[in-house]
Amino acid sequence: MQESSNNSNLTNTANPQGFSFNRADSLRQRSTISRRSSSLSRVSSDRVLGSIRLSHELADQILADVDSSAVARIGDSGDRVVCEEEETDNNLTVDSVSDKAFVVHEGLPLTDAKSPLSEEKQYKLPHRVDYCAYLIHLSVFGFLGVFTRYFLQKLFGPGHLALTSDTTPLYLDLPSNMLGSFLMGWFGIVFKPDLRHVSEHLTVGITTGYMGSLTTFSGWNQKMLLLSSKGHWMFAVAGMLLGLFIVNESITIGVEFAEGLRKRFKCNLNKWKIDTKKRHVAVIVVMLFSLIAIWIASCILAVVKVHHLTNGAILWMGCVVAPPGVWARWYLARLNGVGIGKNSYLKWFPIGTFLANVIAACIMAALSVISKAVNTERSGVILSGIQLGFLGCMSTVSTFVAEVYTMRQSGHSGRAFIYAGSTVIVSFVLGTLIYSVPVWTKNYH
């Protein structure tokens, strides 16, 4: 007992803090485990980043072989879709580019990319009937786009939820631009090959007709002009930058969400394919009667409500002039990917969409000046209806943001920034000259 006590005393004398050995060992082991865990975490992170970089490099490699004009037409190629011979390079069409872009997302081999319409022959309508079918689909879906945009303005505007207004960067058309950009990620990018598998008319109707009319660039630009003309320049700049960021995020989220659904759910649309003469005729007849009914009802309601200046006058006046706006944008979209001059410079630049947005923004600014100059309630309602319908449908955010997104995903972020910046800056500068300068010089209120 005495010897044991002496040994214990010697130990304590040699190491007064001997009890700390176990704690130090434990801390050392934890530190080693932590370093290993951190190392593994860094390795995993590097692998994730490597796979992301690899997928982007694969996308760049695939899309680098495609002529830049084809990328410019992915958003909308206009009435060139009905041309018998469409310009192609490297034996690739816009359809195949869209399919290949989808294949990159899916991670499938390049050789598996096939356009659904190329698998088998389908019944082709006569050229004139085919062209009219596109116009009919664009009109009917354009009406739906105007209805939805007007409803979202009222829902989120000062009268109800009061989340948007004319006095803040959160402009009235922001909800409709967000929804249209989100849906464009679905039906304009991820599910577009599936829609084409069913009907090319339906594809153009949903993307160019509905989502193009649901979103409006001219309305967005005019709201920023209203802010700047009142001296709220910071609000106007914030509205432009915030609007660009939100719609770009909306289409990105839409693409990612749609890709997740596509991977989880597989649907066969063969039974819905419109590939026979009877089906084509049936669909065209139904759409034509829908167009006639909506247009006639809109004309009657517009005359009555504008005359009495009752609620809904702007909506029905907008519906009356909506189809020509959609047709004008679809026709201008034929310029996408064509280039400028004999040497076709800037083939990557979607000139058609650019012109549609800028022209609509300038006309809307001019009509706003006229409305202030005339300054009567009836003229204000009529001009507001033209702005809502014709100019709202002529300009688009969904197609615009789809083109920017495609440029970014194809590895041309510089082109995307140039295109987006030029559209916003040119529209705003011209709008300032057309609208703000007369307002300042004439002291309009």
Side-chain angles (χ1 to χ4, degrees), residues 129-151:
V129 177
D130 193 29
Y131 201 96
C132 292
Y134 280 109
L135 296 179
I136 294 170
H137 279 74
L138 287 168
S139 302
V140 174
F141 282 99
F143 286 134
L144 298 179
V146 173
F147 282 127
T148 308
R149 174 153 45 90
Y150 183 82
F151 170 76

Side-chain angles (χ1 to χ4, degrees), residues 146-164 172-173 175-176 310-315 388:
V146 173
F147 282 127
T148 308
R149 174 153 45 90
Y150 183 82
F151 170 76
L152 292 176
Q153 283 183 357
K154 296 299 182 182
L155 176 62
F156 290 95
H160 291 83
L161 299 180
L163 296 177
T164 60
L172 289 176
D173 291 316
S176 60
T310 55
N311 291 332
I314 295 177
L315 170 62
L388 173 71

